[in-house]
Amino acid sequence: MKIKLILSSLWLIFTSSMVGWWWFYGMAELAKPYSPSELESRRRMLFWEGSFFLCAIILGGFFLIYFLYQDNEKNKALRSFFSIFSHDLKTSIARLRLQSDVLREDESFSKNKILQRIVKDINKLDLQLENSLWLAQIDNLKFIYERFLFSEILFLIRADFPDVSFELNKDIEVFSDKRSLVCILRNLIQNAIIHGQADTISLKTESSGNKIRIKVVDNGIGCEVLPQFKKSFFSRLNLQKTTGLGLSLSYQILKKIKGDLIAALNGKQIEFIIELSL
């Protein structure tokens, strides 16, 4: 990659300087009073110089296109490998989650702290993998918009956080991409659990004009740092616990689906508001 960048820079400097010199020199030469034979000689010289510069530009453009094609093929192969690898990994994680759920239903294991910790780690790993997948393909995502009740999203999320209780003030119809909304809420809830040790999540829905607002509030201890995910995609919320990728990714996804993520600081509590268009 470094060699390609150096060659492209040298080619750009060479062609731009030579063409610039040729243009100024040619205009100056053609303005001078020459005899017919001298003028023909000057024109012939400018013709061959121009032909050489044109060939250099075409040749350089060809190599740039070739390099772009080569990089595109490498990216396709990498995406294909990553997709297959992540699919196999998600399948393994799904098996682990299923087995842990079966063990939790057993009374002898239901209150086992080690098992509960394993379940939390599996859910965290699953969310981190999903975030990585979203991040890898965020520029090529295709969203499927449909109408559904918000309670359907909540039903899908409950299974990922069995130790968290959810409160919903009222159900509301949403027009959005269901998979995106699940990913966003999973990240917000995971953030509340990690940073605030929350065990209750309150979801307040309201509609105003052509906008739907979903306020996510938790009962945790709060956080003194307000995430500046709008300023930097890889903003740091807490360097010791997370890179803040989930919040930044949620913001980026909402922008893709023409929504917004607002963080309001209420004392030490951070309240997140998801805005969606009807």
Side-chain angles (χ1 to χ4, degrees):
M1 184 65 182
K2 192 174 182 180
I3 296 175
K4 294 178 183 178
L5 183 61
I6 292 172
L7 290 175
S8 299
S9 301
L10 290 175
W11 175 79
L12 178 62
I13 294 170
F14 169 73
T15 52
S16 59
S17 60
M18 289 296 100
V19 170
W21 170 83
W22 178 71
W23 184 69
F24 283 112
Y25 175 78
M27 294 295 291
E29 287 295 310
L30 292 175
K32 294 179 181 179
Y34 289 111
S35 63
S37 60
E38 287 178 327
L39 184 61
E40 184 64 25
S41 175
R42 296 289 177 179
R43 284 178 176 172
R44 193 179 300 113
M45 181 185 69
L46 291 174
F47 171 77
W48 287 112
E49 286 178 350
S51 300
F52 171 76
F53 295 147
L54 181 62
C55 290
I57 292 172
I58 293 174
L59 187 64
F62 169 77
F63 279 108
L64 284 176
I65 293 172
Y66 173 74
F67 288 150
L68 287 173
Y69 173 78
Q70 201 175 42
D71 288 341
N72 187 52
E73 290 299 311
K74 287 181 181 178
N75 289 333
K76 282 183 179 179
L78 185 60
R79 283 197 298 267
S80 177
F81 166 77
F82 190 69
S83 176
I84 295 171
F85 173 76
S86 59
H87 178 268
D88 293 340
L89 192 56
K90 283 187 74 69
T91 302
S92 300
I93 291 174
R95 288 200 195 99
L96 286 173
R97 290 183 64 180
L98 181 61
Q99 292 171 5
S100 62
D101 290 340
V102 171
L103 288 174
R104 290 187 65 182
E105 292 177 359
D106 192 333
E107 293 183 0
S108 57
F109 292 100
S110 59
K111 296 182 179 180
N112 190 297
K113 293 183 178 180
I114 297 177
L115 179 60
Q116 293 175 359
R117 195 181 306 121
I118 290 173
V119 172
K120 290 180 180 179
D121 288 341
I122 290 172
N123 290 334
K124 186 178 179 181
L125 179 61
D126 182 48
L127 182 58
Q128 289 173 342
L129 176 62
E130 187 175 354
N131 286 343
S132 299
L133 290 172
W134 277 93
L135 181 61
Q137 57 186 354
I138 192 167
D139 292 328
N140 302 312
L141 287 172
K142 293 182 180 179
F143 300 99
I144 302 174
Y145 292 90
E146 56 182 322
R147 294 194 179 275
F148 54 88
L149 294 175
F150 182 73
S151 57
E152 296 177 27
I153 300 294
L154 190 57
F155 175 78
L156 296 173
I157 293 173
R158 285 181 190 272
D160 297 323
F161 305 97
D163 298 326
V164 177
S165 60
F166 293 89
E167 298 175 354
L168 179 63
N169 65 331
K170 64 176 180 179
D171 204 357
I172 194 170
E173 189 178 60
V174 180
F175 180 70
S176 185
D177 180 74
K178 187 180 291 187
R179 182 168 167 258
S180 300
L181 200 53
V182 169
C183 178
I184 292 164
L185 284 171
R186 284 185 69 192
N187 276 295
L188 295 182
I189 295 167
Q190 184 72 17
N191 178 72
I193 295 172
I194 292 175
H195 296 285
Q197 290 84 52
D199 58 10
T200 300
I201 302 295
S202 177
L203 300 164
K204 300 178 181 178
T205 60
E206 61 178 24
S207 58
S208 176
N210 62 340
K211 296 284 186 180
I212 291 176
R213 291 183 178 86
I214 304 166
K215 183 183 287 188
V216 183
V217 184
D218 62 82
N219 68 334
I221 60 175
C223 180
E224 295 181 356
V225 182
L226 185 65
Q228 300 296 324
F229 42 77
K230 293 185 180 181
K231 294 183 179 179
S232 172
F233 187 74
F234 293 101
S235 59
R236 285 341 188 227
L237 179 63
N238 188 315
L239 292 174
Q240 295 179 351
K241 293 184 178 180
T242 183
T243 60
L245 176 61
L247 294 179
S248 299
L249 180 62
S250 299
Y251 176 76
Q252 294 294 318
I253 294 173
L254 274 168
K255 285 299 179 182
K256 290 284 185 181
I257 59 176
K258 299 178 181 180
D260 197 8
L261 180 62
I262 303 168
L265 194 60
N266 184 10
K268 287 188 177 182
Q269 292 293 118
I270 298 177
E271 299 178 350
F272 290 98
I273 300 173
I274 299 171
E275 282 192 353
L276 298 170
S277 300
L278 283 172

